[in-house]
Amino acid sequence: MKFLSLFDVIGPNMIGPSSSHTAGAASIGLFVSKMFARPIKKAVFTLYGSFAQTYQGHGTDRALLGGVLGFETDDPRIRDAFTIAEERGITYEFIGDEKTATAHPNTADILLEDPDGYTLLVRGESIGGGKMQIVRINQIEVAFTGEYSTLICAQRDVPGVITHISSCLSAYNVNIAFMRLFREKKGTTAYTVIESDEWIPDEILEDIKSSPNIQDLMLIQM
């Protein structure tokens, strides 16, 4: 028998009619905005499956954009996400793709761009009860839920990088819940994703950056 938590039964605090189509979508947008951690100039949302079919009627578009703007799932400003984005000078676009098959029906790609042209492309899935998971960063398949403090290291896939990251984590006594390496192919860009059930010290970033093989770091505290 599948275990059901009280959260699964009553659902999350949220704005909108659906935990999957609004709360989960807002959670995806919020997490991606924390990954980006830069001023946002433009946001492009590509929606798949049921998201593509119902995103306007269920408010998925407002929820995704509201999350990107930094709003929690129960923030009433989600209703006015379009207006607030325009007031902040953020352009946005929604693309419904009903042809491309995805692993989960409630899937969205979020492409963010800052004023200097830096971009980040992230794919998220709304998996029910307001929960989500991240399944792609740029063109690399990943898998993590965002339920923990998360450190994402973009790196050159060469020997010694994992050892360097692990040593830095050990020096700061970071309690690792999960640590995984994701890569497209050997020797190219890879992502190490570390999840901890504790606060990850910000100071660790400078130590990890001391390796020339570290390309980028994203720290999302939960």
Side-chain angles (χ1 to χ4, degrees):
M1 179 181 293
K2 180 182 177 182
F3 172 77
L4 290 177
S5 72
L6 182 62
F7 182 85
D8 294 320
V9 175
I10 66 174
N13 291 326
M14 64 182 187
I15 300 296
S18 167
S19 61
S20 292
H21 285 245
T22 50
S27 295
I28 294 170
L30 181 60
F31 194 88
V32 174
S33 74
K34 291 178 179 179
M35 291 175 62
F36 195 63
R38 291 171 168 83
I40 299 171
K41 176 184 178 182
K42 182 179 181 180
V44 178
F45 304 88
T46 303
L47 297 92
Y48 305 94
S50 61
F51 267 9
Q53 297 166 1
T54 64
Y55 70 92
Q56 293 175 312
H58 283 186
T60 306
D61 46 5
R62 285 180 170 82
L64 285 166
L65 182 58
V68 164
L69 294 174
F71 304 155
E72 299 284 347
T73 58
D74 59 351
D75 194 320
R77 291 177 295 175
I78 287 175
R79 299 188 184 99
D80 302 313
F82 297 159
T83 300
I84 295 171
E86 292 168 2
E87 291 173 348
R88 294 185 184 181
I90 299 172
T91 61
Y92 57 88
E93 179 182 2
F94 294 92
I95 302 169
D97 183 345
E98 298 186 38
K99 296 181 179 180
T100 301
T102 54
H104 194 281
N106 300 329
T107 298
D109 287 342
I110 301 179
L111 175 64
L112 299 182
E113 181 179 343
D114 76 0
D116 296 323
Y118 173 87
T119 60
L120 177 68
L121 177 62
V122 180
R123 173 170 291 184
E125 298 173 346
S126 176
I127 58 177
K131 298 181 180 180
M132 67 91 194
Q133 61 183 3
I134 301 299
V135 296
R136 182 182 294 175
I137 303 175
N138 293 323
Q139 300 304 316
I140 297 179
E141 305 293 329
V142 298
F144 58 93
T145 65
E147 295 180 355
Y148 299 85
S149 292
T150 306
L151 175 61
I152 304 167
C153 305
Q155 66 207 57
R156 291 179 59 223
D157 183 34
V158 295
V161 183
I162 298 297
T163 300
H164 168 71
I165 295 170
S166 299
S167 297
C168 294
L169 293 168
S170 177
Y172 283 85
N173 295 313
V174 174
N175 185 34
I176 300 173
F178 304 99
M179 183 172 179
R180 304 181 185 91
L181 174 70
F182 303 96
R183 64 183 184 180
E184 192 170 27
K185 60 181 180 179
K186 183 178 179 180
T188 58
T189 297
Y191 289 98
T192 297
V193 178
I194 300 100
E195 296 177 280
S196 175
D197 47 15
E198 299 176 351
W199 186 270
I200 299 176
D202 295 342
E203 295 80 6
I204 198 173
L205 300 180
E206 289 303 317
D207 286 5
I208 295 176
K209 286 179 183 176
S210 65
S211 168
N213 293 312
I214 298 296
Q215 300 170 335
D216 194 13
L217 293 174
M218 293 171 258
L219 178 58
I220 304 94
Q221 305 281 18
M222 304 301 290

